[in-house]
Amino acid sequence: MMRQKKYTIILTSNTATSPKKISVSQKQLSIGFIIFVILTVSFVSFLTDYFQLNVDQWKLHSLKKENQQLEKKFVYVERSFKELENKVQQLTDFSRKLKLITTISTRSPQLNTGYGKVSFDSQILALSQNNPQRQLASYKKPQKNNRKIDVTPTEMSNEIEIRIEQLKEANQLIKQDVWQLYSDLLKKQEFLNNTPSILPTRGWVSSTYGYRNETVFVDHQPQFHKGLDIATRRGEPVVSTADGKVVYAGYDEFGYGNLLVIDHGYNLKTYYAHLSEIKVEKGSFVNRGQEIASVGNTGKSTGPHLHYEIRIFDQSVNPENYIVDDFH
């Protein structure tokens, strides 16, 4: 049996009289070295875990802080979007008001000026192309936790702030467009109010605008009828078909009998003939739908009826183009 090798460790001291000797076998030395390595590795591992834990805690603290900031941003987003929604609702209500200030049906008549027909509908439609709801349609409210976020909370919060500012700018532009629409419509309101758009009296049409066989005037020769004859009982109310000023109220010697002429501005006038009674005076202002006279049979007339004319630049036009209500 081989004898085991031993190592001697000599310890000396300044005060000791003789050195101390410690004998260690090779096996004991190997075991001691292994224990030392294990302790060293354990200590290093402990230090590594300790520092990693501190780093994780710092990251967690930082993440919590960012999450708190992000939650505050979301609260701000909710409040901002609520304000924007309220503003959009106000704009919607305001646009509804714009539709009411025209005061007539959307089935607007066409104005035959001799230079072509101008539809009021097309003018208003051109103004209403700036639809506030349509302009905001592309802006959608962001949803929480619906998808994986590939950016940091800070980047997201910055993006949200930018988005809100864009929404505010868009809302301001829409508001300016609506106010411009309102201003334009106010300018057109007088024009719309002063344009004939309703029947002047109740009854049935006995003679339309255009050529006809006129037995009263010239020996059965075709004559051009400049207006619209509405047959009804004597005394039936006659109303103004638009706002305007009475420029003639009296008896006409050329066949119209009791005649009422209203000037609506824009070189447009309406004529109401064969009246039994005139209820407004020359120089007075009247509104659409206001009673101005009564149906009669004065002048060159074969029976009670209203002769109704519209003239632009003193040239007659077809009154049917200026009746918004269903034509009877």
Side-chain angles (χ1 to χ4, degrees):
M1 182 174 180
M2 182 179 289
R3 186 178 180 181
Q4 190 175 14
K5 185 184 293 184
K6 289 186 178 183
Y7 297 91
T8 301
I9 300 174
I10 300 174
L11 301 176
T12 63
S13 174
N14 293 333
T15 59
T17 56
S18 60
K20 293 182 179 182
K21 297 180 181 180
I22 300 176
S23 297
V24 180
S25 66
Q26 185 177 3
K27 182 177 180 181
Q28 289 175 336
L29 186 62
S30 299
I31 293 174
F33 178 76
I34 293 173
I35 293 174
F36 173 78
V37 171
I38 292 174
L39 291 176
T40 302
V41 171
S42 299
F43 181 74
V44 172
S45 177
F46 170 77
L47 289 179
T48 302
D49 291 342
Y50 175 77
F51 285 114
Q52 184 63 43
L53 180 61
N54 287 337
V55 171
D56 291 341
Q57 288 180 346
W58 178 83
K59 289 183 178 180
L60 180 61
H61 176 73
S62 178
L63 185 59
K64 286 182 178 180
K65 187 175 180 180
E66 288 183 349
N67 286 338
Q68 290 175 353
Q69 293 177 349
L70 187 59
E71 287 179 359
K72 292 180 180 180
K73 297 293 183 182
F74 275 122
V75 172
Y76 171 74
V77 167
E78 294 290 342
R79 183 171 63 253
S80 299
F81 271 106
K82 187 63 177 178
E83 292 176 356
L84 288 175
E85 288 173 354
N86 292 336
K87 290 180 179 179
V88 170
Q89 184 61 46
Q90 291 175 0
L91 291 176
T92 302
D93 295 339
F94 189 67
S95 66
R96 189 179 299 111
K97 177 182 178 182
L98 297 183
K99 297 178 182 179
L100 298 178
I101 69 170
T102 57
T103 70
I104 63 175
S105 169
T106 55
R107 294 174 54 204
S108 302
Q110 289 183 329
L111 175 59
N112 191 337
T113 63
Y115 301 96
K117 292 184 177 181
V118 179
S119 170
F120 300 149
D121 281 340
S122 62
Q123 295 174 4
I124 296 175
L125 179 62
L127 290 172
S128 63
Q129 292 301 314
N130 296 324
N131 189 316
Q133 293 185 3
R134 183 172 61 225
Q135 292 192 26
L136 279 180
S138 61
Y139 294 95
K140 295 184 179 180
K141 186 176 180 180
Q143 301 294 326
K144 298 180 182 178
N145 301 325
N146 281 347
R147 60 185 177 87
K148 183 178 180 181
I149 300 176
D150 297 327
V151 296
T152 65
T154 301
E155 292 173 340
M156 174 174 286
S157 63
N158 293 336
E159 181 180 352
I160 290 173
E161 286 184 344
I162 295 174
R163 190 66 167 172
I164 291 174
E165 291 302 320
Q166 291 175 345
L167 281 171
K168 288 182 178 179
E169 292 177 3
N171 185 75
Q172 184 64 28
L173 291 176
I174 295 168
K175 185 177 180 179
Q176 293 175 0
D177 289 340
V178 172
W179 276 106
Q180 183 62 48
L181 170 63
Y182 180 67
S183 176
D184 293 340
L185 285 179
L186 285 180
K187 295 176 182 178
K188 294 179 180 292
Q189 183 176 13
E190 180 182 358
F191 177 62
L192 294 172
N193 289 343
N194 290 25
T195 301
S197 61
I198 62 175
L199 280 167
T201 190
R202 297 177 180 274
W204 58 278
V205 177
S206 58
S207 183
T208 58
Y209 178 84
Y211 284 98
R212 66 177 184 176
N213 290 324
E214 182 58 77
T215 60
V216 175
F217 295 106
V218 187
D219 299 333
H220 301 282
Q221 295 299 318
Q223 298 293 315
F224 190 84
H225 188 229
K226 295 182 179 180
L228 196 67
D229 286 348
I230 303 175
T232 186
R233 63 181 178 85
R234 178 184 175 86
E236 186 72 18
V238 176
V239 299
S240 175
T241 57
D243 296 356
K245 180 181 180 181
V246 178
V247 293
Y248 185 89
Y251 192 84
D252 177 76
E253 299 290 345
F254 299 95
Y256 283 114
N258 288 331
L259 174 66
L260 186 62
V261 181
I262 300 178
D263 187 348
H264 303 282
Y266 308 98
N267 297 298
L268 187 151
K269 296 178 181 178
T270 51
Y271 287 66
Y272 309 81
H274 309 307
L275 304 170
S276 63
E277 181 183 4
I278 297 176
K279 299 185 178 182
V280 291
E281 299 179 352
K282 180 180 178 180
S284 60
F285 291 89
V286 295
N287 298 320
R288 176 187 287 116
Q290 178 181 337
E291 185 175 346
I292 55 176
S294 300
V295 173
N297 192 29
T298 58
K300 295 180 180 180
S301 171
T302 58
H305 75 283
L306 173 69
H307 176 81
Y308 174 57
E309 287 186 25
I310 298 179
R311 297 185 186 182
I312 300 178
F313 295 102
D314 206 31
Q315 298 294 320
S316 65
V317 296
N318 190 349
E320 295 181 25
N321 292 334
Y322 295 83
I323 300 174
V324 176
D325 302 312
D326 291 337
F327 187 75
H328 300 291

